[in-house]
């Protein structure tokens, strides 16, 4: 896709609340049209018809020296694991909803305003739960390892380290959640979000393998 989700540093904006008495964080212009990706796709344009081949839409490995890059392939279960890992890394600071970090969810007009409020959605979390249960059941049934991209493995390692640190902190949710996110949860969220952004930056054009 020629669309790229911006990192938080480029889409989070401090602005006044509706009454002008305080300030809050807004998420604006969450995605950007990537002109460099367009150039990558133009390499697959048919000079006779002007059409871009389907192969232009496939993620590739980089060309290194005389070794030409190739379309990066993976097993269907690995793709589902990647999808689940990205969604897991996109949960909000309380670990409840999945953030609308890419802007308005086009399928759900009622939620369009949440994206600008740095909001998240619970339906997506329930879907994530079912997805991860399925991936786990398949792996346990066939007892075969998942082969995933190096960049995804790095992100998952960072998430696991952050989870271990959160568990070691002994944090438990109070009966009534405070409006301000506890520092230990915010640190976990920031670490995982940074890992997700690093992953996205690393594979913006190519997978290493």
């Amino acid at each position: 896709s020629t669309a790229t989700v911006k990192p938080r540093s480029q889409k989070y904006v401090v602005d006044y609340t509706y009454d002008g008495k305080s300030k809050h964080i807004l998420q604006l212009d969450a995605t950007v049209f990537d002109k460099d990706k367009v150039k990558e796709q133009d390499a697959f344009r048919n000079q006779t018809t002007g059409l871009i081949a389907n192969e232009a839409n496939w993620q590739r490995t980089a060309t290194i020296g005389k070794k030409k890059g190739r379309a990066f392939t993976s097993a269907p279960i690995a793709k589902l694991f990647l999808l689940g890992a990205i969604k897991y890394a996109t949960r909000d600071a309380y670990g409840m909803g999945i953030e609308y970090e890419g802007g308005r969810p086009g399928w759900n007009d009622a939620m369009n305003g949440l994206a600008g409020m740095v909001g998240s959605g619970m339906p997506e979390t329930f879907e994530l739960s079912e997805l991860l249960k399925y991936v786990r059941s398949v792996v346990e049934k066939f007892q075969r390892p998942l082969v995933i991209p190096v960049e995804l493995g790095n992100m998952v390692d960072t998430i696991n380290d952050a989870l271990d640190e959160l568990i070691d902190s002994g944090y438990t949710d109070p009966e009534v959640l405070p409006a301000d996110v506890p520092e230990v949860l915010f640190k976990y969220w920031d670490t995982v979000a940074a890992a997700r952004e690093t992953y996205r930056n690393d594979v913006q054009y190519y997978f290493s393998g």
Side-chain angles (χ1 to χ4, degrees):
S1 172
T2 52
T4 296
V5 179
K6 294 179 181 178
R8 292 166 295 163
S9 61
Q10 296 179 17
K11 63 182 178 180
Y12 281 9
V13 178
V14 180
D15 199 1
Y16 284 100
T17 55
Y18 72 96
D19 58 7
K21 295 181 179 180
S22 59
K23 293 185 177 182
H24 61 174
I25 303 295
L26 295 177
Q27 176 180 248
L28 304 176
D29 298 324
T31 59
V32 63
F33 182 74
D34 194 327
K35 295 181 180 179
D36 288 331
K37 285 186 177 180
V38 174
K39 293 178 182 178
E40 288 281 333
Q41 291 187 341
D42 277 340
F44 297 92
R45 188 179 299 277
N46 186 299
Q47 298 302 315
T48 302
T49 65
L51 299 177
I52 295 177
N54 288 335
E55 192 178 2
N57 298 311
W58 297 347
Q59 192 78 350
R60 310 181 66 78
T61 58
T63 297
I64 302 176
K66 294 183 178 180
K67 186 177 180 181
K68 187 177 180 181
R70 57 178 176 76
F72 187 86
T73 60
S74 60
I77 193 64
K79 298 180 192 299
L80 291 178
F81 176 78
L82 187 154
L83 177 62
I86 292 294
K87 286 181 176 292
Y88 187 87
T90 313
R91 295 179 307 149
D92 59 34
Y94 273 117
M96 297 175 66
I98 293 179
E99 297 177 3
Y100 294 142
E101 64 153 2
R104 295 183 299 171
W107 59 270
N108 190 347
D109 289 345
M111 298 298 186
N112 280 347
L114 275 180
M117 300 164 61
V118 197
S120 58
M122 284 300 296
E124 292 84 354
T125 304
F126 293 123
E127 293 172 357
L128 170 62
S129 176
E130 294 304 309
L131 171 60
L132 294 180
K133 288 178 183 177
Y134 174 74
V135 171
R136 180 174 180 175
S137 68
V138 170
V139 172
E140 291 179 344
K141 178 179 180 180
F142 294 100
Q143 292 295 305
R144 296 174 61 181
L146 280 175
V147 180
I148 60 176
V150 172
E151 295 84 356
L152 177 60
N154 292 336
M155 187 190 78
V156 171
D157 286 343
T158 301
I159 293 173
N160 284 333
D161 290 342
L163 277 172
D164 288 340
E165 185 175 343
L166 178 60
I167 293 172
D168 290 342
S169 72
Y171 173 82
T172 56
D173 286 328
E175 185 173 343
V176 178
L177 295 179
D180 294 331
V181 177
E183 183 178 352
V184 64
L185 290 186
F186 182 86
K187 182 180 180 181
Y188 168 81
W189 169 82
D190 184 51
T191 300
V192 173
R196 183 184 71 245
E197 291 171 347
T198 297
Y199 166 81
R200 185 174 288 133
N201 180 72
D202 289 345
V203 302
Q204 187 170 354
Y205 301 109
Y206 308 106
F207 278 119
S208 61

